Amino acid sequence: GLLLFYAWPLLRAVEISFTEWNLLRPPRDVGWANYRQLLDDGRFWRALGVSGLYALLNIPLQTALGLGLALAMDRLTKSLWLRSVLLLPYLLSNVLVALVWLWLLDPTLGAVNQLIAALGGERQGFFGSPDQALATVAGVNTWKHMGMVALLFLAGLQNIPRPLYEAAALEGANGWQTFWRITLPLLRPVMVFVLVTSVTGALQIFDTVAVTTQGGPEESTRVVVLYIVQNAFGYLKMGYASAMSMVLCAVMLAYTALQMRMLRADHSDLS
């Protein structure tokens, strides 16, 4: 399965990135021309920057909320019903979630703006505002994924030996000290997994943007995958789009390696 659905498409993408191919005629080998063109493509680098900014808006809040929810569930409730409710948004399709929030945040008819107006506030543009659109997309995806992040952290919390907390209490440690000296260090393997998968997922954000903003307004949400798709299927530049995909893949591999090294993913404080 890995060879058929991952390795082979990856190798084909590398091969196509060295060609000029519009899907209508056989590919023509152009060597490194696509990559040289990429160096001078300001729109690509801007799109990559927008994706990075989106990750900065999305990941810290999503991780913090997920960890907070996990701590609350671990200490206050074992309710299976509550865990199911938290996981429900993650199980919904990205397109469905985007459509629901597009309606809720509509400047004229949206329930959120209706509530803001009823409270005496000024209606907000949300998806239609260049200053708010990217943060709004990040907020929607934070809402969708934080339940899954919380359950991952909860699984890690339940693997921490309880005698450690009892020993800390006997030594006079308060809750904050226990969190920083026991809980957070022992959650490092889960934290690595959450951060690596969340950031690589954030850099590949596409469907929410495609449904809600189509890259606007004023290209404020033109993320790199949207730009790749536009080049591939809008302008029929499959070779150039594949070259951009290879650069994005290299960025994600570099981030993953750096993150795993910084957080010492191959070590466990439980051993």
Side-chain angles (χ1 to χ4, degrees), residues 68-255:
L69 286 171
L71 289 169
M73 287 190 291
D74 184 55
R75 297 185 181 185
L76 302 178
T77 179
K78 306 295 183 183
S79 172
L80 182 61
W81 179 84
L82 179 59
R83 297 178 189 181
S84 301
V85 170
L86 284 174
L87 190 60
L88 181 61
Y90 178 77
L91 299 177
L92 301 176
S93 75
N94 289 334
V95 172
L96 176 60
V97 169
L99 287 171
V100 169
W101 281 102
L102 186 63
W103 172 75
L104 288 173
L105 300 176
D106 183 88
T108 305
L109 303 175
V112 174
N113 267 311
Q114 294 282 6
L115 178 60
I116 292 174
L119 295 174
E122 184 178 348
R123 292 177 180 269
Q124 302 297 311
F126 293 118
F127 292 117
S129 169
D131 297 326
Q132 299 178 4
L134 190 63
T136 302
V137 172
V140 168
N141 282 304
T142 295
W143 174 84
K144 183 181 188 301
H145 292 95
M146 67 179 182
M148 182 61 183
V149 172
L151 291 181
L152 290 172
F153 278 127
L154 180 61
L157 287 170
Q158 292 177 343
N159 283 328
I160 298 176
R162 297 301 161 178
L164 293 176
Y165 292 110
E166 297 169 2
L170 291 174
E171 293 292 333
N174 58 35
W176 192 247
Q177 292 171 325
T178 300
F179 173 76
W180 281 105
R181 295 181 179 274
I182 297 178
T183 303
L184 205 55
L186 294 181
L187 278 179
R188 190 177 65 248
V190 179
M191 184 70 73
V192 172
F193 178 80
V194 167
L195 289 177
V196 168
T197 56
S198 296
V199 173
T200 53
L203 291 176
Q204 298 176 78
I205 178 70
F206 168 73
D207 33 22
T208 306
V209 173
V211 170
T212 57
T213 66
Q214 296 83 48
E218 300 176 11
E219 297 191 357
S220 61
T221 61
R222 188 194 291 273
V223 291
V224 66
V225 174
L226 180 66
Y227 187 55
I228 291 172
V229 171
Q230 288 173 338
N231 274 272
F233 301 105
Y235 312 141
L236 296 181
K237 297 180 178 179
M238 292 299 296
Y240 188 50
S242 296
M244 287 189 282
S245 298
M246 293 301 101
V247 173
L248 178 60
C249 181
V251 169
M252 291 190 294
L253 286 173
Y255 163 78

